[in-house]
Amino acid sequence: MAQQVNIAAQTAFGDAVVAGNLDALDAIIAPDSVDHDPAPGQAPGPAGYKAMFNDLRVAFPDLQVEVEHLLATDDELAFAYRISGTHLGPLMGRPATGRKVHYRGMQISRFDSDGKLVERWGSSDELGMLRQLGLAEA
């Protein structure tokens, strides 16, 4: 049963990010949640996730996240995902390029007994994304 609760929480997390309903993350992320791989300057807890995903959604208003593979235990989920979007807003201080990106990442999420995210480890191909935008050397 815990696996299904955690999968539902992770699905709600992804849906909130894609829809831009970032206030919904308050109900999904524990206040003292730890991101072991935060974005530069990312604050802790729900506020940090909301700010980071807001910046990503400003840069890519048509952001899509597709889970490609998922493994679950009673308190952890590991998944591979694909992100896509069109660069229509500022990103890391750089103006929009209008280019489309597709890049992949992986994440491990740990949940408490209430189904709230308490820890996250993850990595995405940000260099690949920057190369697709022409913002990094190939």
Side-chain angles (χ1 to χ4, degrees):
M1 187 64 151
Q3 289 180 9
Q4 296 307 319
V5 170
N6 297 340
I7 290 170
Q10 190 66 59
T11 300
F13 187 113
D15 291 348
V17 168
V18 169
N21 181 17
L22 300 179
D23 286 337
L25 298 179
D26 290 328
I28 301 165
I29 302 169
D32 58 349
S33 178
V34 176
D35 189 339
H36 294 282
D37 299 299
Q42 181 178 330
Y49 287 97
K50 288 165 50 173
M52 187 260 299
F53 283 113
N54 182 67
D55 290 349
L56 193 60
R57 288 199 43 76
V58 166
F60 301 98
D62 61 345
L63 179 76
Q64 293 295 308
V65 180
E66 176 188 352
V67 173
E68 295 180 324
H69 189 75
L70 173 74
L71 297 171
T73 68
D74 284 343
D75 66 345
E76 293 180 321
L77 297 177
F79 58 98
Y81 58 88
R82 181 178 176 91
I83 293 177
S84 60
T86 310
H87 185 211
L88 299 175
L91 176 70
M92 296 184 232
R94 305 294 274 291
T97 63
R99 294 182 179 181
K100 293 187 182 294
V101 297
H102 302 277
Y103 62 103
R104 299 181 74 203
M106 300 181 88
Q107 180 171 311
I108 299 170
S109 300
R110 189 173 70 80
F111 295 85
D112 65 14
S113 60
D114 295 324
K116 291 214 178 200
L117 179 70
V118 293
E119 284 186 282
R120 176 204 168 270
W121 298 262
S123 181
S124 62
D125 184 13
E126 292 177 9
L127 179 57
M129 179 257 304
L130 292 171
R131 286 178 173 158
Q132 291 174 53
L133 296 175
L135 301 177
E137 298 278 329

